[in-house]
Amino acid sequence: MELVVSRIEPVVDEVIEIVLAATDGGPLPQWNPGAHLELVTPVGAVRQYSLCGPRDAVCEWRIAVLREPEGRGGSESLHTRLEPHQRVTVRGPRNNFRMLPAAGYRFVASGIGITPILPMIEHCEETGVPWSLDYIVRERGRAAYLDRLPERGVTLHITSEHGRPDLDAIAFGDGTGRRLYACGSTSLLVGLEEAARRVDAGPLHAEWFAPRPVVAAADARDEFEVAFNRSGVSAVVQAADSIVDAASRVGVDIPVSCSQGVCGSCETSLLGGVVDHRDSVLTDTERSEGLVMMPCVSRARSDTLVLDA
Ligand code: FES
């Protein structure tokens, strides 16, 4: 859909907030905490940004963008080329980071990873559900949205002053078994996953900005066949192919955006076979249920997969 940029405001050093509205100024579709938008940037690259609320502002969507001069140009172009009143193309909202029901939540955010966590905390405040936040930043001046966070419940970790915090202690929390949600750098999420395992903190619900490091399953097939059930065709997936590539060769169009296993756009129902999941979206529970897969990166542990495509 096409939206108009109504405001661009600085948040902290290198972070801007972009406020988007419908072209007729009317209400936008509702969304839940954890949702993200796909935005076509001025250089044409599509990027995903979490909606950071507030959710009761029904006629606008807000995203925050960190300038990444060493990145691939998408965020840089939003900082340097986007202006109020311009129109932009967005898709979504889509939510791969839903808040599952819980008696309480422990949130961990580093840097711009605060953006999906912010509406989650606001939801907890509205519904009276207990929460805590460990917020990790390099310097105090880089802690976006501190002014929207209640002081109670927030522990700010400033790494330039105190080094990296103890992730085992963060993962363990107060030992009451609240659900653990995190968003931030790959190193934080990998470290927190390992810490959560060490201290038996239960599953980590994480939103990855970049693909998580993947180790192929020991029984992953180099080459396998995929049957596209709805289209009535099959394709062989070679070692250098993705399933999406092989699908397109036989005329089956699977919608993709990131092609890196982080956005969830290509999610496809699985009707048969065993998947080697290599995405950064599905939870362990969703993987073991075996109902869906991300064919842009995932592969097969059986000779054949059957997909609903
Ligand atoms: Fe983004 Fe597959 S296209 S997860």
Side-chain angles (χ1 to χ4, degrees):
M1 90 179 82
E2 204 171 54
L3 297 180
V4 65
V5 176
S6 54
R7 297 191 300 286
I8 302 176
E9 290 170 352
V11 180
V12 289
D13 201 19
E14 306 288 14
V15 176
I16 53 171
E17 182 177 86
I18 299 172
V19 184
L20 302 169
T23 50
D24 64 0
L28 291 164
Q30 290 189 328
W31 54 279
N32 288 318
H36 72 263
L37 283 185
E38 289 183 7
L39 171 66
V40 182
T41 63
V43 288
V46 178
R47 296 285 180 268
Q48 292 81 37
Y49 294 100
S50 297
L51 285 165
C52 56
R55 282 191 306 138
D56 57 7
V58 294
C59 291
E60 60 183 36
W61 284 343
R62 297 189 198 190
I63 58 172
V65 180
L66 171 68
R67 186 173 199 165
E68 296 179 278
E70 307 303 318
R72 289 171 294 160
S75 73
E76 180 73 9
S77 71
L78 290 169
H79 273 254
T80 56
R81 291 172 51 179
L82 195 70
E83 292 183 354
H85 311 302
Q86 277 183 14
R87 293 192 173 202
V88 288
T89 301
V90 305
R91 285 195 290 267
R94 178 182 187 89
N95 199 337
N96 302 323
F97 193 39
R98 291 177 197 89
M99 287 179 86
L100 298 176
Y105 297 88
R106 281 176 299 129
F107 300 113
V108 184
S110 71
I112 196 69
I114 192 64
T115 49
I117 302 291
L118 201 53
M120 293 183 172
I121 290 175
E122 289 172 348
H123 177 72
C124 288
E125 287 285 289
E126 285 158 22
T127 52
V129 176
W131 61 274
S132 64
L133 167 67
D134 286 279
Y135 188 8
I136 304 163
V137 290
R138 201 170 340 133
E139 292 148 16
R140 175 175 286 273
R142 300 181 76 102
Y145 296 117
L146 262 189
D147 56 336
R148 270 177 61 189
L149 289 165
E151 269 181 40
R152 169 190 48 80
V154 178
T155 305
L156 189 62
H157 303 270
I158 302 173
T159 57
S160 63
E161 294 175 15
H162 306 294
R164 187 176 176 174
D166 179 350
L167 295 184
D168 283 17
I170 289 177
F172 187 71
D174 61 1
T176 55
R178 294 179 181 180
R179 277 193 195 275
L180 184 58
Y181 276 72
C183 184
S185 65
T186 300
S187 65
L188 169 75
L189 297 181
V190 169
L192 202 56
E193 250 182 359
E194 290 165 357
R197 257 182 244 121
R198 270 195 301 273
V199 301
D200 202 13
L204 170 67
H205 303 269
E207 175 97 313
W208 298 75
F209 293 142
R212 70 199 297 172
V214 170
V215 179
D219 55 354
R221 302 290 198 267
D222 283 340
E223 189 176 302
F224 53 95
E225 183 175 39
V226 179
F228 301 100
N229 194 55
R230 246 183 306 127
S231 311
V233 292
S234 298
V236 173
V237 182
Q238 315 269 1
D241 280 340
S242 70
I243 294 176
V244 170
D245 294 335
S248 108
R249 277 201 301 272
V250 293
V252 178
D253 185 31
I254 298 177
V256 291
S257 177
C258 71
S259 297
Q260 294 186 307
V262 295
C263 75
S265 300
C266 65
E267 182 176 308
T268 304
S269 296
L270 177 71
L271 304 176
V274 185
V275 176
D276 179 16
H277 292 284
R278 299 186 184 184
D279 62 273
S280 310
V281 175
L282 297 176
T283 62
D284 288 345
T285 309
E286 288 167 328
R287 290 172 183 214
S288 55
E289 284 170 354
L291 300 175
V292 293
M293 71 174 299
M294 302 297 159
C296 66
V297 289
S298 294
R299 300 185 63 81
R301 295 169 54 202
S302 53
D303 291 336
T304 304
L305 295 178
V306 185
L307 299 186
D308 183 21

